[in-house]
Amino acid sequence: MGKGIGVGYISLIVLIPLAALLTNAFNKGLVSFWTAITQTEAIDALRLTLLCSLGAALLNAVAGTATAWILVRDRFWGQGLLNAIIDLPFALPTVVAGVTFYTLYGPLSPVHVNITGSWIGITVAIVFVTLPFTVRSVQPVLESMSFNAENAAATLGASSYQVFRTITLPTLLPSILTGTGLAFARAIGEYGSVVFISNNLPYHSEVASSYIYSLATSGQTNAAASVAVFLLMLALVLLAAFNITSVQLAKRHG
Amino acid sequence: MSISLNGVTKYFGSDLVLNEVSDEVPQGSLTALLGPSGSGKSTLLRIVAGLTSLDGGHVELSGRDVTDVPPRDRRIGFCFQDYAPFRHLSVFDNVAYGLKVQRVPRAQRRREVDELLRLVRLEPFADRYPRQLSGGQRQRMALARALAIRPEVLLLDEPFAALDAQVRSELRTWVRNLQRELGITTILVTHDQGEAMEVADRLVILNEGRIEQVGAPDHVYDHPATAFVRGFLGPTTTLDGVTWRPHEIELGSPGETGVAAHVIDVIRLGFEVRVVVKDHSGSTSWVQLTHEQSRRLDAQVGEAVVVRPRAEVFEVL
């Protein structure tokens, strides 16, 4: 009974739309699929999306780990508030974030910073939306980590930096990879927060999700589905790579 | 290397956990810091290692004040209660860690680690990861790792607490022999009086952040300085308002000198037999007998007896 509901639910929400997408992508054959994803505009959009997403994920891997660190290891005024704010990018509609960035860092910027229409703007928007992933995956590991291994390293003659690099970081690495993988997968499909700040100039500042949208709204359903499927496959491969590495590391650590 | 503690004081918040603790640990000795949980013994051990700061007093190693010296510069081998393995490193790399951060050349490192692994009988496990080891093996790995830096002081925090009974007693003997062989000044923290008596050549008994008594195990056992030490070091029983060890009193036949009582229970614990008696005033005591003594006496529940201190105890007194 429970199993039936579970499978039915997953089918309805994920599998059926996925099947429809795959059908749409391949209903005119492989050649048509290949043509759709090798259009210069498609390649440019995919490349921009991947690079910005990777940059944002890596930036958040570092900043997110540092944030998790101060939330767990430090004590300061307003810590509880900061901890609560971390999840805000998940709660806030991404379009709201997009509009906010546009007014703050757009042509009418009160601080005279205009990052619209460039990879910088896109990356900043993605960094915002994916901020919670690394923080929330590293935080519990850091909380459950005993100080004894770090103390043991110190008594054996390691400096604080050596302790961090050789003991703390390897312990956190699986969770950092998991968080980064999730952030990356989320980033390559990001639309709402990016669409305003990117200006959507084809070949220049158009991300994949926005390109797919423009194809779909101009009646090119097959091409839109082809690019979408390709993006989906990329996300799956990268997510799998991050997860396998993370599980391998975690398994070894036991 | 000798260790001297001078008026070591530590607060956790407003709780006084160590109250002006002073002690001289002689070079080459194996001292057990013995006390109930919350007595401050682990905190004291961490202070010696420099892992916990102190609020008063100072610590000297061979006459050198190390109160403000960080742990990495103290050359103290520390074994944690949970062994604190480096989970992402193999057994070999765990043991090699101290030599690596001190930039000992690879070939020499290899030689020394191999030798240590032989010493702790973990050679076949060099390439394993800590999670693949048993509790006793992890404990020996932690010991080898601490010994790798050739420390002049070895500190062991409840080293046998997490092991099952048989492994525990094997490791105790092994650690004691190893300590004698290496002659390294060692402090071991334990809440188990039996363990402390068996392993240490010197006891420091802590209670509520203060030292109650210091001395050789036999001496402290026979001549406890305080009621706490007497109660903590072994079982006690009260006879006619006086506290005795249960093996210091004996049973006699009615009519002989002693406190008249009757047997209310006989508990057999292998080689030891406990006879519980109740005297005319209604208070109970218990007498510890060997199996042999018990067979000769053949005490039955309900039987009338007298209870008195053993003659040899009087001679000592």
Side-chain angles (χ1 to χ4, degrees), chain B residues 93-108:
Chain B
D93 288 334
N94 262 271
V95 177
Y97 189 88
L99 300 173
K100 205 167 176 183
V101 294
Q102 288 172 13
R103 300 182 192 287
V104 172
R106 182 183 291 268
Q108 187 188 344

Side-chain angles (χ1 to χ4, degrees), chain A residues 46-104:
Chain A
L46 287 166
R47 186 172 51 214
L48 181 69
T49 305
L50 286 178
L51 288 177
C52 288
S53 300
L54 197 65
L58 291 179
L59 193 64
N60 268 341
V62 178
T65 305
T67 308
W69 182 276
I70 62 164
L71 284 176
V72 176
R73 292 279 172 101
D74 277 352
R75 289 286 163 266
F76 54 90
W77 191 86
Q79 194 171 26
L81 188 69
L82 179 65
N83 189 25
I85 284 175
I86 300 292
D87 289 327
L88 206 64
F90 279 166
L92 199 69
T94 50
V95 175
V96 176
V99 172
T100 309
F101 279 122
Y102 188 79
T103 45
L104 205 54

Side-chain angles (χ1 to χ4, degrees), chain A residues 104-122:
Chain A
L104 205 54
Y105 306 125
L108 303 171
S109 166
V111 290
H112 306 291
V113 174
N114 188 352
I115 52 172
T116 53
S118 75
W119 64 269
I120 300 172
I122 298 167

Side-chain angles (χ1 to χ4, degrees), chain B residues 29 43 53 55 61 66 78 81 97-98 108 112 130 136 151 180 200 206 208 222 230 258 263 280 284 293 303 311:
Chain B
S29 69
T43 307
S53 64
D55 297 316
L61 297 179
V66 296
F78 197 106
Q81 189 173 354
Y97 189 88
Q108 187 188 344
E112 290 186 16
R180 285 190 186 154
L206 271 179
E208 296 182 337
D222 291 334
R230 174 175 269 276
V263 177
H280 50 85
T284 60
Q293 286 168 330
E303 198 182 332

Side-chain angles (χ1 to χ4, degrees), chain A residues 161-202:
Chain A
Y161 169 71
Q162 282 173 319
V163 172
F164 179 77
R165 193 177 52 81
T166 60
I167 307 297
T168 319
L169 197 57
T171 308
L172 297 181
L173 199 58
S175 63
I176 295 176
L177 281 176
T178 305
T180 308
L182 283 170
F184 185 78
R186 171 81 172 76
I188 59 174
E190 182 52 24
Y191 181 75
S193 64
V194 173
V195 73
F196 292 98
I197 207 161
S198 72
N199 284 345
N200 298 318
L201 292 173

Side-chain angles (χ1 to χ4, degrees), chain B:
Chain B
M1 184 174 270
S2 64
I3 305 164
S4 78
L5 307 170
N6 301 292
V8 171
T9 299
K10 177 70 185 174
Y11 287 89
F12 283 147
S14 58
D15 290 341
L16 181 58
V17 288
L18 289 172
N19 188 355
E20 302 210 355
V21 171
S22 297
D23 185 38
E24 299 287 332
V25 178
Q27 152 73 33
S29 69
L30 202 176
T31 296
L33 271 181
L34 177 64
S37 57
S39 58
K41 54 192 192 304
S42 285
T43 307
L44 189 57
L45 197 72
R46 296 174 67 90
I47 284 175
V48 174
L51 295 171
T52 297
S53 64
L54 32 70
D55 297 316
H58 56 274
V59 178
E60 287 172 11
L61 297 179
S62 290
R64 185 172 77 108
D65 189 336
V66 296
T67 312
D68 298 319
V69 175
R72 60 180 294 225
D73 298 323
R74 291 197 189 189
R75 288 242 316 202
I76 284 181
F78 197 106
C79 285
F80 292 83
Q81 189 173 354
D82 64 355
Y83 318 134
F86 302 146
R87 295 170 191 281
H88 59 293
L89 299 179
S90 67
V91 171
F92 183 93
D93 288 334
N94 262 271
V95 177
Y97 189 88
L99 300 173
K100 205 167 176 183
V101 294
Q102 288 172 13
R103 300 182 192 287
V104 172
R106 182 183 291 268
Q108 187 188 344
R109 205 158 73 206
R110 165 113 243 161
R111 211 163 45 238
E112 290 186 16
V113 172
D114 282 343
E115 195 182 317
L116 280 161
L117 288 175
R118 200 156 38 240
L119 182 73
V120 300
R121 299 178 310 210
L122 283 178
E123 300 155 279
F125 304 100
D127 295 329
R128 300 245 180 127
Y129 283 89
R131 67 176 179 89
Q132 297 168 310
L133 302 182
S134 70
Q137 291 168 337
R138 264 183 231 187
Q139 157 73 273
R140 299 205 306 266
M141 181 191 86
L143 207 60
R145 186 176 73 182
L147 289 172
I149 58 167
R150 298 183 185 276
E152 291 175 89
V153 169
L154 189 61
L155 304 177
L156 311 169
D157 190 2
E158 297 271 8
F160 313 112
L163 303 171
D164 59 55
Q166 198 190 335
V167 179
R168 189 185 314 171
S169 90
E170 273 174 28
L171 262 181
R172 275 182 195 170
T173 315
W174 182 77
V175 165
R176 190 187 55 192
N177 293 341
L178 184 72
Q179 190 272 338
R180 285 190 186 154
E181 200 179 305
L182 301 175
I184 180 171
T185 312
T186 303
I187 303 180
L188 171 150
V189 157
T190 180
H191 62 273
D192 180 336
Q193 45 89 15
E195 180 170 298
M197 305 273 295
E198 181 185 330
V199 174
D201 47 39
R202 200 168 160 274
L203 296 187
V204 173
I205 295 162
L206 271 179
N207 183 34
E208 296 182 337
R210 283 180 167 279
I211 291 185
E212 294 268 341
Q213 191 173 1
V214 176
D218 283 349
H219 180 82
V220 176
Y221 189 83
D222 291 334
H223 304 282
T226 64
F228 172 82
V229 174
R230 174 175 269 276
F232 192 71
L233 274 193
T236 57
T237 190
T238 315
L239 178 64
D240 230 14
V242 180
T243 307
W244 300 96
R245 295 244 183 261
H247 67 262
E248 292 173 341
I249 54 178
E250 65 176 4
L251 299 176
S253 309
E256 295 177 16
T257 51
V259 179
H262 62 275
V263 177
I264 58 169
D265 201 1
V266 179
I267 304 162
R268 295 172 197 284
L269 301 157
F271 71 95
E272 178 196 336
V273 178
R274 296 179 178 180
V275 180
V276 187
V277 297
K278 189 182 249 182
D279 68 15
H280 50 85
S281 68
S283 65
T284 60
S285 337
W286 61 280
V287 182
Q288 186 181 31
L289 302 173
T290 64
H291 205 67
E292 188 53 38
Q293 286 168 330
S294 159
R295 197 163 32 218
R296 262 203 318 273
L297 214 64
D298 193 29
Q300 300 294 329
V301 173
E303 198 182 332
V305 291
V306 294
V307 193
R308 61 184 175 231
R310 287 181 186 281
E312 61 266 36
V313 176
F314 276 121
E315 283 162 23
V316 173
L317 291 175

